[in-house]
């Protein structure tokens, strides 16, 4: 068993199949000491980008093959060492890993033991795209610092409070249980952070507010949060369900799948790729970047306009559904790349919902800022907010809360 030290730094690792994103934070003031990214791991054209924020130095870039995650993490460690922030530093308290799927077992951040790692591995069949990369990241970090606590922070954890009525699909219950088929939800770290920050923006405790969080990035999900606890979310067994996303269809009649198998001769894998990678905004109009879609809409491009309209229609349906689920709503919070930046999306999503107490003030909505802010007019019954998400900070805070002797004494 690893032991907690007196360090105040946390390294946050987000390991994807061919990338590693990282941030080193000092938990005394939640400041970023370094941030970076390794991309295209395993290819000839790998790239490491490292910004040493603590020293104020320029961003450094390394181009050239990085064979695997181990080589990637070693390269990151070497970059950190250049800034005097090496992984061997006694200041490092723990490494926090983003783990996409925690199933039903993990409802809270967890110090990683062999048993925990084995359970994350058992979940690979329900998260084949994500958990294997997370496991590789954990193993590699463990090899580099075997003495250091490693903590898993699960994307699904915040959603484990969903009642069975929201978490279950209406399918044969024995088949569902045999294959662990249920709605787990994702982006939980973001929904947790943003719902809490929204309460703070309203000057209230999280327990006292009901919030609809709209995490609109390239992946997108909505959640209904009652008094700080998630009661419903739009992603399901996998991140495919729910809103229209950059490349994912979101909600779709499951019969489309077997129809395509029968009439188009497509395999399960073909349809997996179709629905996850070639659908959503990109499938509808060829672009998944909302900036480009808006630009095309402004030029009268009909395909882009249809993609935008379908995106907004689905978003509105979820706002209405979660309004009904919660009964009373104090705030709607927009977050992530689209939610934080695309004023036309926020305006269109709320347009026509005045009867529900929802409105957006045009001037406030047009303000660009990286601070949490209200964009609803004063008279509106429900606050509409833009709340930038910070998944890395949330992972670091949850990790540190678990390992810091000061916080646990
Ligand atoms: P994320 O997954 O949270 O990083 O969000 C990425 C997405 O945010 C991109 O694919 C764009 O669609 C969107 N995005 C980023 N910046 C802007 C912007 N200034 N205006 C509109 N959409 C944006």
């Amino acid at each position: 068993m690893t032991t907690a030290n007196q360090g105040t730094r946390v390294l946050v690792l987000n390991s994807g199949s061919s990338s590693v994103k990282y941030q080193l934070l000092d938990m005394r003031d939640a400041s970023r000491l370094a941030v970076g990214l390794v991309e295209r791991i395993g290819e000839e054209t790998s790239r490491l980008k490292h910004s040493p924020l603590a020293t104020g130095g320029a961003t450094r870039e390394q181009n050239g093959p990085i064979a695997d995650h181990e080589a990637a993490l070693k390269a990151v460690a070497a970059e950190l060492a250049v800034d005097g922030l090496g992984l061997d530093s006694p200041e490092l308290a723990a490494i926090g890993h983003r783990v996409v799927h925690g199933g039903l077992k993990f409802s809270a951040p967890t110090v990683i033991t062999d048993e925990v790692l084995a359970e994350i591995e058992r979940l690979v069949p329900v998260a084949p795209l994500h958990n294997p990369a997370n496991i590789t990241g954990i193993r590699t970090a463990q090899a580099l610092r075997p003495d250091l606590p490693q903590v898993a922070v699960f994307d699904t954890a915040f959603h484990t409070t969903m009642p069975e009525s929201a978490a279950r699909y209406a399918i044969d219950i024995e088949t569902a249980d045999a294959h662990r088929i249920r709605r787990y939800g994702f982006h939980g770290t973001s929904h947790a952070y943003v719902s809490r920050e929204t309460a703070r923006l309203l000057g209230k405790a999280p327990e006292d507010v009901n919030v609809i969080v709209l995490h609109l990035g390239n992946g997108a999900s909505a959640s209904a949060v009652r008094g700080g606890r998630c009661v419903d979310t739009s992603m399901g067994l996998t991140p495919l369900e729910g809103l229209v996303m950059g490349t994912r269809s979101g909600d779709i009649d499951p019969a489309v799948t077997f129809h395509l198998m029968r009439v188009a001769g497509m395999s399960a894998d073909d349809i997996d790729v179709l629905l996850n990678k070639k659908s959503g905004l990109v499938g509808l109009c060829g672009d998944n970047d909302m900036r480009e879609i808006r630009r095309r809409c402004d030029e009268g491009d009909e395909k882009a306009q249809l993609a935008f309209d379908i995106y907004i229609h689905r978003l509105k349906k979820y706002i209405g559904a979660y309004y009904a689920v919660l009964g009373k709503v104090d705030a709607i919070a927009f977050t992530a790349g689209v939610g934080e930046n695309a004023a036309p999306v926020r305006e269109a999503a709320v347009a026509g919902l005045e009867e529900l107490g929802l409105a957006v003030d045009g001037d406030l909505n047009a303000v660009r800022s990286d601070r949490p802010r209200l964009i609803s007019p004063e008279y509106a019954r429900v606050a509409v907010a833009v709340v930038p998400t910070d998944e890395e900070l949330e992972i670091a805070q949850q990790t540190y809360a678990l390992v810091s002797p000061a916080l646990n004494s």
Side-chain angles (χ1 to χ4, degrees):
M1 178 65 193
T2 51
T3 49
N5 60 26
Q6 299 295 325
T8 57
R9 293 180 191 155
V10 172
L11 178 68
V12 175
L13 287 182
N14 182 353
S15 307
S17 55
S18 64
S19 70
V20 176
K21 291 187 202 139
Y22 63 93
Q23 291 198 2
L24 183 68
L25 292 97
D26 188 331
M27 299 319 293
R28 286 174 299 188
D29 57 0
S31 60
R32 260 95 174 154
L33 302 173
V35 304
L37 163 72
V38 189
E39 299 173 283
R40 298 192 288 275
I41 296 171
E43 295 178 32
E44 286 301 308
T45 57
S46 315
R47 182 169 68 164
L48 188 160
K49 251 177 126 172
H50 176 87
S51 301
L53 306 181
T55 63
T59 297
R60 301 194 289 272
E61 218 175 290
Q62 271 181 43
N63 291 289
I66 295 179
D68 51 26
H69 282 71
E70 188 182 342
L73 260 192
K74 281 189 172 151
V76 170
E79 286 295 342
L80 288 167
V82 170
D83 308 317
L85 301 168
L87 293 192
D88 51 358
S89 163
E91 287 300 318
L92 191 59
I95 300 180
H97 296 266
R98 174 185 182 219
V99 179
V100 168
H101 215 309
L104 275 182
K105 259 229 166 98
F106 299 115
S107 57
T110 306
V111 173
I112 300 168
T113 60
D114 289 348
E115 296 81 66
V116 169
L117 201 51
E119 182 58 27
I120 297 172
E121 250 176 326
R122 272 195 287 278
L123 289 162
V124 165
V126 283
L129 296 179
H130 296 103
N131 274 28
N134 301 153
I135 292 165
T136 308
I138 292 168
R139 288 232 164 87
T140 310
Q142 282 178 330
L144 282 180
R145 277 297 304 269
D147 57 314
L148 200 65
Q150 314 261 338
V151 173
V153 178
F154 298 94
D155 252 26
T156 46
F158 184 62
H159 305 305
T160 54
T161 51
M162 278 197 289
E164 288 289 280
S165 52
R168 287 239 178 225
Y169 293 109
I171 63 168
D172 170 68
I173 207 151
E174 267 113 46
T175 307
D177 286 347
H179 300 285
R180 296 201 260 193
I181 294 169
R182 59 187 287 125
R183 309 188 57 254
Y184 295 98
F186 299 89
H187 291 147
T189 311
S190 176
H191 287 284
Y193 177 84
V194 170
S195 56
R196 245 189 9 250
E197 287 300 306
T198 305
R200 192 206 299 268
L201 184 66
L202 299 181
K204 296 193 173 161
E207 301 77 54
D208 296 333
V209 292
N210 292 351
V211 187
I212 297 173
V213 178
L214 302 169
H215 176 111
L216 310 177
N218 197 32
S221 62
S223 69
V225 183
R226 175 180 289 132
R229 290 164 68 83
C230 178
V231 292
D232 203 353
T233 195
S234 60
M235 285 178 165
L237 173 74
T238 77
L240 182 55
E241 192 180 342
L243 299 173
V244 175
M245 309 183 210
T247 66
R248 297 189 191 116
S249 63
D251 293 337
I252 194 168
D253 182 343
V256 170
T257 305
F258 23 94
H259 183 69
L260 283 173
M261 284 177 161
R262 289 176 189 137
V263 303
M266 291 175 78
S267 68
D269 285 346
D270 293 339
I271 300 169
D272 195 330
V273 171
L274 174 77
L275 297 181
N276 274 296
K277 302 253 191 267
K278 298 184 181 167
S279 296
L281 294 171
V282 89
L284 287 165
C285 75
D287 272 310
N288 60 340
D289 192 313
M290 192 52 81
R291 284 164 286 205
E292 188 56 18
I293 291 171
R294 282 308 312 166
R295 195 191 58 71
R296 286 172 55 187
C297 288
D298 290 342
E299 286 175 353
D301 183 317
E302 285 178 12
K303 267 190 167 174
Q305 188 63 53
L306 178 63
F308 184 80
D309 292 346
I310 294 171
Y311 184 93
I312 296 296
H313 180 72
R314 185 81 51 85
L315 201 49
K316 264 206 166 109
K317 283 193 356 185
Y318 271 92
I319 292 173
Y322 287 173
Y323 208 116
V325 165
L326 290 170
K328 173 180 180 295
V329 178
D330 297 289
I332 295 192
F334 287 90
T335 195
V338 175
E340 291 168 28
N341 296 298
V345 168
R346 299 190 296 252
E347 185 188 331
V350 169
L353 302 183
E354 292 81 6
E355 286 291 322
L356 297 180
L358 285 162
V360 158
D361 177 289
D363 292 337
L364 293 176
N365 192 30
V367 172
R368 296 195 63 86
S369 160
D370 56 6
R371 310 285 310 156
R373 60 202 183 272
L374 292 175
I375 56 168
S376 42
E378 259 178 36
Y379 64 80
R381 259 189 297 121
V382 178
V384 181
V386 180
V387 179
T389 193
D390 196 337
E391 293 169 87
E392 289 77 17
L393 176 60
E394 180 73 16
I395 291 171
Q397 282 172 338
Q398 293 193 15
T399 299
Y400 193 58
L402 203 59
V403 304
S404 161
L407 294 177
N408 291 304
S409 57

